[in-house]
Amino acid sequence: MTAGPLDAAAERHGAAAVLLGHTRDDQAETVLLGLARGSGIRSLSGMAAASGPAGRYRRPFLQLDRQTARKACMVQSLSVWDDPHNIDPAYTRSRLRHEGLPALEKALGKGVVEALARTAQLSRDDADALDTWATEAARSVRDDDGRLECAGLAVLPPAVRRRVVRRAVIDAGSPAGSLFARHIEEVDRLITDWRGQGAINLPGRVEVRRQGGRLVIRQS
């Protein structure tokens, strides 16, 4: 089910939370998929224990492996539903589950899933800290009109600077799901490698140009 029907069901039943069955194995798969995309540390953070509006979606089984969760259901005579997409090789996650992870465990030994899940938590802690730093830094690099000053951005650590830029272009109307690392790198060059280049066009018809030592970010 998509978030829409789940939200509707939660509202209909007056549910305070929706519990999802993702396990440690699912988390490991998510980390590997993020690594393959090269989307940065936030992508390596995997799935959060709580997400959605007011933390409605909760994942209480992220510390349990899939087999333990399945056995617990069997002991309590609970029916287990297997999503048919999980065995369809047309899907990348399915191929990773049935081919990729077993190959990694064969090459590296047992414990790969646990290590990947641990990486997710460490990455989430780091990403949260960097996001907080970027939020504070954004206030110090804006002029009186709210535009980002390139001189102030240039002295920030790259991980912080790119977060400031990403948040600014999303706020201007660029969809987060369509905004990739290469987009942010192009904008970053307006700050760190300025050679008089023209405007950068981003998803959502957002345009970024450098003008008067500041980034002008607007939606066309």
Side-chain angles (χ1 to χ4, degrees):
M1 294 177 74
T2 63
L6 281 176
D7 280 332
E11 295 292 340
R12 188 166 61 251
H13 293 285
V18 176
L19 305 185
L20 304 176
H22 296 120
T23 64
R24 187 168 61 193
D25 298 78
D26 297 304
Q27 186 73 299
E29 293 161 8
T30 303
V31 172
L32 282 176
L33 289 170
L35 181 63
R37 287 193 296 267
S39 302
I41 194 171
R42 179 58 72 185
S43 187
L44 297 182
S45 300
M47 297 174 285
S51 60
R56 167 177 279 175
Y57 296 103
R58 303 179 191 178
R59 300 175 177 86
F61 307 131
L62 285 180
Q63 302 303 318
L64 291 178
D65 64 85
R66 188 176 293 131
Q67 272 308 109
T68 297
R70 182 178 290 272
K71 288 177 181 177
C73 289
M74 294 175 61
V75 168
Q76 298 177 74
S77 299
L78 297 175
S79 298
V80 176
W81 181 75
D82 289 304
D83 187 341
H85 293 101
N86 290 335
I87 58 173
D88 187 343
Y91 294 94
T92 303
R93 183 180 287 269
S94 176
R95 295 195 300 274
L96 180 61
R97 176 173 299 183
H98 299 290
E99 301 173 27
L101 268 174
L104 279 175
E105 290 195 331
K106 183 177 180 181
L108 303 176
K110 294 294 183 181
V112 170
V113 168
E114 291 86 346
L116 288 169
R118 188 164 59 252
T119 294
Q121 185 57 58
L122 293 172
S123 298
R124 182 168 297 279
D125 291 343
D126 289 350
D128 288 346
L130 286 168
D131 286 346
T132 299
W133 187 354
T135 298
E136 295 170 352
R139 301 190 189 102
S140 67
V141 296
R142 289 190 181 278
D143 64 13
D144 294 338
D145 296 322
R147 293 174 298 182
L148 296 173
E149 298 178 328
C150 294
L153 287 167
V155 299
L156 292 174
V160 177
R161 180 176 63 246
R162 289 170 184 165
R163 278 169 164 75
V164 173
V165 169
R166 178 179 173 83
R167 174 47 54 193
V169 297
I170 290 174
D171 288 345
S174 192
S178 302
L179 200 59
F180 302 123
R182 59 182 174 82
H183 294 128
I184 303 304
E185 287 168 2
E186 288 181 24
V187 178
D188 196 46
R189 280 194 284 272
L190 293 178
I191 303 164
T192 62
D193 188 24
W194 175 241
R195 293 172 286 102
Q197 55 264 51
I200 305 296
N201 295 310
L202 300 175
R205 303 196 319 277
V206 170
E207 178 188 272
V208 184
R209 67 171 63 248
R210 177 165 172 157
Q211 185 175 320
R214 293 169 174 79
L215 289 185
V216 178
I217 306 172
R218 62 189 176 196
Q219 195 170 39
S220 60

